[in-house]
Amino acid sequence: MALWGGRFSAEPSSVVAALSRSVEFDWRLAPYDIKVNLAHLDGLIASGVIAAGNGEVIRAGLKALGTEILAGKFTYNDSDEDVHSAIERGLIAKIGAIGGALRAGRSRNDLVVADFKLYLVDHLLEIASLTTDLISVFNDQSEKLAKVVAPGFTHLQHAQPIVFGHELAKHSQALLRDVDRIGDWLVRNNFSPLGAGALAGSALQPNPEKSAELLGFDGVLANSIDAVSDRDFAAEALFVMAMLGVHLSRIGEEFTLWSTWEFDWVTIDDAYSTGSSIMPQKKNPDIAELARGKSGRLIGNLTGLLATLKGLPFAYNRDLQEDKEPIFDSVETLIVLLPALIGMVETAKFHEKVISSGAQAEFALATEIADYLAKKAVPFAQAHEAAGECVRLCEKSGIELHELSDEQLLKIHPELAPDLRDSLTTSGAVASRTSLLGTSTSSVLAQISDLKDATKEAKSWISNEVARFSGMMKP
């Protein structure tokens, strides 16, 4: 059912109709379209455009149609151009021509943005909830491994010893920022476009603030042209999801490496692994690899929409039909991916002895020599040079740092006394880093405690927001 056509003398070409048709993907907005139409209806009744009696007939029809949509009893057909035309067709079929009165004072331009924002609020909160669940399992694993000394890496080369719980907790920190970004998105973008009409506002909807309140928005967008023509809220949501995807990709990359024979740091549970169709012995970290791979898809959705939005003039342009599929794809990708990653991390078995065995390799304690000298008031540039000479001599002699003789140490620098060897232990190196963000067990356990508090607070905020929006105008 087309929502336009009075001035046209012919139907659109079949190829034009096929190109314009969006209902196959924007049908996801149907429950939100019902909610927005109910709020719009209240405004039309209040302004006298629709008589109260007729309004109640329309309200009952919309609510019944909404129930049928949720139950799968009503859906689009081949004649529908988009979700809005399908719902108007269904409403008129249910209550008669009076259903067409609902179109007064609104356009698909403001209607679809309102629908789209409600969809995003709903699904970003779901993604936030799943992300906090992933944070929780990382917190638990980090706490279990807060005393396990491990090699730290930069440039994929051994760097300095750390505790492995510190390595895992970095993911909790990054993921919490992703949840914060969803909260920031909601603060900035939870404003209603309804009442903007096609672009100029509506003489038939003088109180859009009331509609906004009914839908759970925090207010109304200040400019009707901006309300229907900008999709920065969608691009920003795609950025948030892409950034989350990048963080999930890092997790996937590490678990893929850690599960190799060469690392042997972790066993991924069979339930989160797959096999080979030709090699019977294979156990592949496919969940971790898919987490890594799908980040490209999430990034692509963001860049694709930004390219679409670039240079669009004035108010609404049909290019904006292309805003929804990237959002739907990113949302649905994360909603499938996150539970699988939660299970993979939660059930992972870390091999503590193997992890610790390489903590001292590759002269990882060389920095301790430089720090030892710095504590003796040796300028750090000189201390760094002396530590490097220790490494060079060890490489030449085929020995470890702690095996340097007293004479060799003194020859390199007069302040290198025998008690230096007390500093050349992985446990001592880790324990010495007790600052707020350091890698000592005490620092890491304090960090994890704070992470647990922050995760609990985030879960509470998400729960409150879900309750607030789910209570708004249920069909």
Side-chain angles (χ1 to χ4, degrees), residues 86-367:
I87 285 176
E88 182 167 313
R89 171 182 59 80
L91 182 62
I92 290 173
K94 190 173 288 292
I95 65 173
I98 188 63
L102 190 59
R103 202 190 303 174
R106 66 157 171 75
S107 162
R108 285 184 295 180
N109 294 359
D110 61 343
L111 178 60
V112 73
V113 179
D115 294 356
F116 200 17
K117 283 193 166 187
L118 290 180
Y119 169 92
L120 271 169
V121 168
D122 198 5
H123 288 82
L124 286 176
L125 288 173
E126 182 178 358
I127 289 168
S129 180
L130 289 169
T131 304
T132 57
D133 289 342
L134 180 56
I135 294 167
S136 291
V137 297
F138 265 114
N139 292 345
D140 291 343
Q141 289 281 27
S142 300
E143 190 169 39
K144 291 175 188 175
L145 297 159
K147 295 181 180 180
V148 176
V149 179
F153 290 83
T154 62
H155 307 278
L156 270 179
Q157 305 294 316
H158 282 241
Q160 291 176 267
I162 57 170
V163 296
F164 194 61
H166 198 44
E167 186 79 71
L168 293 179
K170 76 173 189 278
H171 294 303
S172 293
Q173 300 286 359
L175 293 169
L176 265 176
R177 290 193 295 273
D178 292 321
V179 174
D180 285 345
R181 273 185 274 271
I182 291 174
D184 293 341
W185 181 95
L186 192 59
V187 169
R188 186 162 34 257
N189 295 296
N190 194 37
F191 290 87
S192 175
L194 198 61
L199 79 160
S202 171
L204 304 180
Q205 276 283 20
N207 188 15
E209 294 87 350
K210 182 60 177 177
S211 299
E213 181 184 347
L214 288 171
L215 292 168
F217 289 115
D218 294 328
V220 179
L221 288 165
N223 183 294
S224 60
I225 301 173
D226 173 61
V228 299
S229 65
D230 205 335
R231 294 296 188 274
D232 58 351
F233 70 89
E236 185 180 352
L238 286 172
F239 168 75
V240 171
M241 290 187 279
M243 192 69 253
L244 173 57
V246 168
H247 287 146
L248 300 182
S249 178
R250 292 189 67 195
I251 294 166
E253 171 72 355
E254 289 182 354
F255 272 78
T256 300
L257 286 172
W258 293 341
S259 65
T260 61
W261 182 88
E262 287 76 10
F263 263 84
D264 192 31
W265 282 16
V266 69
T267 296
I268 297 175
D269 193 87
D270 285 359
Y272 298 95
S273 306
T274 64
S276 166
S277 61
I278 190 172
M279 295 172 283
Q281 83 282 7
K282 290 299 295 295
K283 180 178 175 180
N284 299 324
D286 281 18
I287 300 305
E289 291 173 342
L290 285 168
R292 187 177 59 192
K294 287 186 181 295
S295 62
R297 184 171 179 164
L298 298 168
I299 294 166
N301 287 336
L302 169 61
T303 56
L305 181 60
L306 289 173
T308 298
L309 299 180
K310 180 188 66 65
L312 293 183
F314 302 118
Y316 181 84
N317 295 272
R318 191 60 182 270
D319 311 53
L320 293 175
Q321 180 172 301
E322 298 301 309
D323 63 353
K324 295 168 205 65
E325 288 181 281
I327 286 283
F328 296 150
D329 183 70
S330 290
V331 164
E332 290 162 15
T333 294
L334 286 170
I335 286 174
V336 170
L337 176 59
L338 281 163
L341 273 179
I342 292 165
M344 183 192 77
V345 175
E346 186 174 30
T347 58
K349 305 297 183 188
F350 291 96
H351 308 155
E352 297 180 15
K353 290 183 179 179
V354 179
I355 291 170
S356 294
S357 64
Q360 195 166 328
E362 296 297 314
F363 307 108
L365 296 170
T367 305

Side-chain angles (χ1 to χ4, degrees), residues 6 25 59-60 75 79 93 96 102 120 147 180 283 288 311 330 345 395 430 434 449 458:
F25 58 83
R59 189 190 311 280
T75 189
S79 70
L102 190 59
L120 271 169
K147 295 181 180 180
D180 285 345
K283 180 178 175 180
S330 290
V345 175
E395 285 181 322
V430 166
T434 57
S449 178

Side-chain angles (χ1 to χ4, degrees), residues 22-73:
S22 61
V23 69
E24 289 91 347
F25 58 83
D26 67 20
W27 185 248
R28 292 169 176 82
L29 300 179
Y32 307 99
D33 202 73
I34 294 291
K35 291 183 179 184
V36 174
N37 274 308
L38 283 166
H40 178 66
L41 174 64
D42 275 10
L44 293 180
I45 294 170
S47 65
V49 173
I50 293 179
N54 288 339
E56 292 312 308
V57 172
I58 296 171
R59 189 190 311 280
L62 279 171
K63 288 188 173 184
L65 191 62
T67 300
E68 291 175 14
I69 288 168
L70 292 176
K73 294 180 180 179

